[in-house]
Amino acid sequence: MTTLDARGVSCPEPLLMLKSALKNESSIELLVDSKNAFENCESYAKKLGFTVEFEKNDDTYKMQIKGKNE
């Protein structure tokens, strides 16, 4: 599983990072520290049919984005 650390990165860069990674990966761990970035990335992944699980610790959202067959 690839891990993308987008903490401290302004929108829309976290979403662009996720879009790029999903071209080559079916399972990604994404770290963001903005509610807006979290919501945008979660919505995008679900729109493409990925499942999204997450946990929030302090200011960090840790997202597990997985393809249908994972």
Side-chain angles (χ1 to χ4, degrees), residues 4-38:
L4 300 175
D5 188 350
R7 292 175 290 183
V9 179
S10 299
C11 284
E13 192 63 29
L15 181 58
L16 297 174
M17 292 169 66
L18 177 60
K19 284 182 178 182
S20 178
L22 288 176
K23 291 179 183 177
N24 302 313
E25 302 288 333
S26 62
S27 182
I28 295 173
E29 178 179 78
L30 177 63
L31 305 172
V32 295
D33 58 1
S34 157
K35 183 177 181 182
N36 189 39
F38 164 73

